[in-house]
Amino acid sequence: MAQAQQPRRRGPSLPSITIPRITLPAEVSQSLTGARRVIGDRLAPVTERTRPWWSPVATALRWVSALGWTIAGLGVLAWWLGARYQWVELTMVAAGCLALVLACVVLAQGRTRVRIETVVDPRRVTVGDPATGRIDIENEGKVPLLPIVVELPVGRSDARFTMPSLRSGEVHEEIFVVPTQRRGVIPVGPARTVQGDPFGLVRRVLHWTDQTELFVHPRTIPLDSHAHGLLRDLEGQSTQDISSSDLAFHALREYEPGDDLRHVHWRSSAKTGVLMVRQFLDTRRAHLAVVVDTTGWVYRDGDEGVELAIEVAASLIVRSIMDDQDGTVVCNDQQASRTTAPLLLDTLSRAMVGPVDLFASVAEAAALAPDASVAAVVTGSGRPFVESQRALGQFGPEVARLVIVVDRGTKPSVQQVAGLTVLTIGELVDLRRVLVSGVAA
């Protein structure tokens, strides 16, 4: 039978020791700070005079990679062990390591006289369109240029080009392709040359160009020119709202106290014997304000639904600008107002996908476009209608308000709910159908 284990006896517990925190008096702390400042001021002239000697050494040391520092550290350690224990083999290993690092530093020396140019054309493309770039390198030196490696960051990856040996004045050209499967802004460059050794102990990097941005615009669908709540400008369509002062003459009416005497029609007043004033139709410049809800969870398919919502907003904005109307867009952390279609699409390309405060976004749009004639919120089916209604309530009652619900797999529909026009679409192509039916309604 197994014997029961006897409980272990615990020894006496050790008393806890608290290390007191040492705080220097204010006078001592100020004295140390003053001493450091004085020493720094006195060493500054010496540092400037000796800069020509130590600056090249410091620059060369920055070229050494992590692997290079590891080899150098092993060399120093082997040298110390060999000298302490009279171990000749370790001394030879140390000499080999240090000589290798020193030789690699020497190989990275020298001036590279080249001209590098990167060209990305076109700078703006739509998702899925081909985008190519070109990198040119010219040897501006008087001696032949040995093969070098040119790195060109493209988005999150680096393109590496091994340039052949170039004679003086010779130019070499390389073509690269930029992936455009996703909406966004792709940074290209700066191009840099890499000099070093085959082992990667030393890496000397020189930058030759600036960074170029490639804008991948969201897809858009061509829409018919419509006038659903969109008020034309002074040369276009007038509203049916009566105004006492505007440019679109409507009719004559009797004078009422408070009317502007400048609008009195004296000839008609003389004929009728009653003071008559001109009455006008209110005219405003059409202005479309669009807010995109980039909160992923409100869409059935997450981020893909957000991308579809951005494409819907882009299609509306492009159509609005083509109709010579003003446009404002607010999409997460990006906003633009009263600018050209390419710049508005650039703004949508920069927009990030993530949670947003819909009420705050609509408030920002209302501040950017106080004269908006149409306000639209593009959101998903998971966003409660009450939140969209409350957010759009920040626009005045004279503004036509739309809620465009993106829900893949749903049949397109148009509804009037609580004074708002609710358009439901399942695909981008459905936008044209619901707008036509909404306008006709």
Side-chain angles (χ1 to χ4, degrees):
M1 296 180 60
Q3 297 180 357
Q5 295 182 356
Q6 297 295 329
R8 296 182 179 180
R9 295 182 178 179
R10 297 182 180 179
S13 58
L14 297 176
S16 59
I17 300 176
T18 304
I19 300 176
R21 184 177 180 180
I22 300 175
T23 304
L24 296 177
E27 296 80 3
V28 177
S29 179
Q30 293 177 0
S31 300
L32 292 176
T33 303
R36 286 195 297 266
R37 187 180 298 110
V38 170
I39 294 174
D41 294 341
R42 292 184 178 181
L43 289 179
V46 179
T47 303
E48 292 300 326
R49 286 197 299 267
T50 59
R51 183 179 297 275
W53 287 276
W54 61 262
S55 181
V57 177
T59 301
L61 292 179
R62 286 197 296 266
W63 301 342
V64 181
S65 64
L67 179 60
W69 284 114
T70 302
I71 298 298
L74 290 176
V76 173
L77 178 62
W79 190 283
W80 181 80
L81 291 175
R84 180 178 179 84
Y85 298 103
Q86 301 298 319
W87 198 340
V88 179
E89 289 80 0
L90 281 180
T91 305
M92 295 177 62
V93 171
C97 292
L98 297 177
L100 178 60
V101 175
L102 182 60
C104 293
V105 171
V106 173
L107 287 175
Q109 298 291 334
R111 298 181 60 186
T112 304
R113 300 179 61 85
V114 296
R115 180 190 62 83
I116 299 179
E117 180 181 3
T118 56
V119 178
V120 180
D121 188 31
R123 292 277 305 279
R124 293 177 172 90
V125 297
T126 306
V127 172
D129 290 350
T132 59
R134 186 184 77 251
I135 180 170
D136 299 331
I137 180 170
E138 179 184 1
N139 181 13
E140 294 184 337
K142 297 181 180 180
V143 297
L145 178 66
L146 296 177
I148 60 174
V149 176
V150 178
E151 293 182 351
L152 182 67
V154 180
R156 298 181 179 179
S157 60
D158 290 346
R160 293 175 60 90
F161 307 96
T162 302
M163 298 297 179
S165 179
L166 300 177
R167 296 188 300 271
S168 178
E170 188 177 359
V171 180
H172 182 76
E173 177 183 291
E174 290 281 353
I175 303 296
F176 60 92
V177 179
V178 182
T180 60
Q181 288 79 15
R182 300 286 296 180
R183 171 193 60 87
V185 180
I186 302 176
V188 179
R192 55 180 183 255
T193 57
V194 181
Q195 292 180 252
D197 59 276
F199 307 103
L201 304 184
V202 177
R203 179 183 171 90
R204 181 186 179 188
V205 179
L206 298 176
H207 294 84
W208 297 93
T209 62
D210 296 329
Q211 188 180 81
T212 304
E213 290 183 332
L214 172 65
F215 292 91
V216 182
H217 289 168
R219 296 186 183 93
T220 58
I221 184 173
L223 303 175
D224 298 331
S225 180
H226 52 83
H228 176 58
L230 300 181
L231 308 177
R232 298 296 181 181
D233 57 10
L234 297 181
E235 292 79 22
Q237 179 179 345
S238 302
T239 70
Q240 297 304 315
D241 299 333
I242 303 300
S243 173
S244 61
S245 176
D246 216 306
L247 296 182
F249 175 74
H250 175 60
L252 294 174
R253 62 171 177 81
E254 293 186 7
Y255 174 82
E256 295 179 358
D259 287 340
D260 194 341
L261 294 178
R262 293 176 299 177
H263 299 146
V264 173
H265 196 271
W266 298 107
R267 183 174 299 179
S268 299
S269 300
K271 291 181 179 179
T272 60
V274 179
L275 199 60
M276 306 293 292
V277 295
R278 297 181 181 88
Q279 195 174 43
F280 302 88
L281 288 177
D282 192 12
T283 58
R284 309 174 198 166
R285 181 172 178 82
H287 192 151
L288 172 64
V290 182
V291 178
V292 183
D293 188 356
T294 59
T295 306
W297 62 264
V298 304
Y299 298 89
R300 180 176 299 183
D301 48 354
D303 292 351
E304 295 299 325
V306 176
E307 296 298 328
L308 179 56
I310 293 176
E311 293 172 358
V312 169
S315 301
L316 292 173
I317 288 294
V318 170
R319 179 69 260 178
S320 177
I321 294 177
M322 290 177 62
D323 290 340
D324 294 329
Q325 301 166 359
D326 290 332
T328 296
V329 62
V330 175
C331 186
N332 199 345
D333 57 336
Q334 299 293 320
Q335 61 276 334
S337 181
R338 295 179 177 86
T339 184
T340 61
L343 293 181
L344 279 169
L345 292 176
D346 290 350
T347 300
L348 292 176
S349 296
R350 292 186 184 276
M352 304 295 293
V353 176
V356 295
D357 185 345
L358 185 61
F359 189 86
S361 296
V362 175
E364 186 175 1
L368 291 173
D371 57 341
S373 52
V374 176
V377 167
V378 187
T379 185
S381 57
R383 175 72 67 180
F385 174 77
V386 176
E387 295 184 8
S388 300
Q389 181 185 25
R390 175 172 172 266
L392 286 174
Q394 298 175 92
F395 287 93
E398 73 281 358
V399 179
R401 290 166 288 179
L402 307 177
V403 178
I404 304 177
V405 179
V406 175
D407 188 8
R408 290 189 185 272
T410 303
K411 294 182 179 180
S413 63
V414 181
Q415 297 176 331
Q416 297 291 334
V417 181
L420 274 67
T421 302
V422 181
L423 311 179
T424 304
I425 63 173
E427 299 294 339
L428 183 60
V429 69
D430 296 337
L431 182 62
R432 183 188 298 114
R433 304 174 190 172
V434 296
L435 285 179
V436 170
S437 60
V439 172

